[in-house]
């Protein structure tokens, strides 16, 4: 019911928090997948950050698609592409992603992603602040200020620059 009415704060984590998303080519895959979802009217993306082992999004699912469909398709597609690339170019890494599940040999994403609805602009702003500051945390130290980290929507909000071509301001 809420999935078409409110944006959601979504977090997806790599299996066992491994730093699989460290290479820019995998971050770019995520960017391209988000652009596809927006261009095909499946989601509106208000904010994001892609970290070495997880990602955060603030997105709104568009009808007639369901939250479970969009999340499943997004994670399945990106997971398959990453797995295929690792299998081709980094086969030793693939064994670190062996699944304990009976339905698959390898697993990229943890099964239970977090999705929390944002019922007000105040909550959206809190979540945006959190995700934009994520790369600046001492344990990451990926940038000095949020807008210096490329794989984030921070520059969009700080300088009104949408270098990715799929972001929508949360106030729109």
């Amino acid at each position: 019911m809420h999935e078409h009415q409110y944006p959601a704060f979504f977090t997806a984590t790599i299996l066992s928090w491994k730093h699989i998303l460290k290479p820019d080519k995998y971050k770019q895959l995520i960017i391209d997948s988000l652009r596809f979802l927006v261009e095909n009217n499946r989601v509106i993306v208000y904010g994001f950050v892609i970290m070495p082992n997880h990602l955060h999004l603030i997105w709104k699912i568009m009808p007639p698609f369901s939250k479970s469909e969009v999340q499943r398709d997004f994670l399945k597609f990106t997971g398959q592409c990453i797995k295929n690339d690792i299998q081709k170019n980094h086969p030793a890494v693939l064994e670190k992603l062996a699944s304990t599940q009976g339905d698959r040999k390898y697993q990229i994403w943890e099964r239970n992603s977090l999705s929390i609805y944002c019922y007000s602009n105040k909550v959206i702003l809190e979540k945006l602040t959190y995700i934009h500051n994520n790369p600046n945390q001492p344990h990451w130290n990926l940038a000095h200020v949020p807008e210096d980290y490329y794989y984030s929507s921070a520059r969009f909000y700080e300088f009104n620059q949408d270098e990715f071509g799929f972001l929508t301001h949360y106030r729109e």
Side-chain angles (χ1 to χ4, degrees), residues 3 10 12 33 37 42-43 57 59 61 64-81 103-104 109-113 115:
E3 65 190 27
F10 174 74
S33 298
L37 291 173
R42 295 182 189 197
V43 300
L57 300 170
W59 63 2
I61 308 301
F65 303 99
S66 71
K67 178 179 81 163
S68 60
E69 285 175 314
V70 172
Q71 288 178 185
R72 178 200 65 217
D73 293 349
F74 173 70
L75 295 176
K76 184 176 181 179
F77 176 78
T78 56
Q80 284 290 334
C81 290
D103 64 342
R104 64 193 70 202
W109 299 104
E110 289 281 354
R111 281 199 183 247
N112 296 318
S113 301
S115 191

Side-chain angles (χ1 to χ4, degrees), residues 85-104:
D85 184 79
I86 290 172
Q87 197 167 28
K88 179 180 175 188
N89 298 306
H90 315 282
V93 174
L94 196 59
E95 292 309 313
K96 296 177 182 177
L97 298 167
S99 177
T100 59
Q101 308 295 316
D103 64 342
R104 64 193 70 202

Side-chain angles (χ1 to χ4, degrees), residues 6-58:
Y6 297 104
F9 172 69
F10 174 74
T11 300
T13 306
I14 296 295
L15 183 68
S16 302
W17 292 87
K18 290 179 176 65
H19 287 215
I20 298 300
L21 298 176
K22 191 173 181 180
D24 288 348
K25 64 181 174 180
Y26 299 145
K27 291 187 212 59
Q28 189 60 48
L29 171 70
I30 302 288
I31 297 292
D32 294 343
S33 298
L34 290 172
R35 185 177 299 110
F36 172 86
L37 291 173
V38 170
E39 288 173 354
N40 287 275
N41 298 313
R42 295 182 189 197
V43 300
I44 297 172
V45 177
Y46 298 105
F48 75 95
V49 67
I50 305 169
M51 302 297 290
N53 62 4
H54 69 285
L55 62 87
H56 297 294
L57 300 170
I58 299 174

Side-chain angles (χ1 to χ4, degrees), residues 109-167:
W109 299 104
E110 289 281 354
R111 281 199 183 247
N112 296 318
S113 301
L114 173 70
S115 191
I116 300 169
Y117 290 108
C118 302
Y119 297 106
S120 69
N121 281 349
K122 180 183 175 196
V123 173
I124 294 171
L125 186 56
E126 288 171 2
K127 299 300 184 190
L128 278 172
T129 301
Y130 172 79
I131 67 175
H132 291 158
N133 284 315
N134 210 252
N136 306 74
Q137 298 304 309
H139 61 280
W140 289 116
N141 200 26
L142 297 172
H144 294 292
V145 293
E147 55 273 14
D148 284 349
Y149 186 67
Y150 182 74
Y151 295 99
S152 161
S153 54
R155 273 181 319 289
F156 175 70
Y157 284 97
E158 186 66 27
F159 304 120
N160 198 29
Q161 295 176 352
D162 182 6
E163 298 160 71
F164 306 104
F166 61 76
L167 291 166

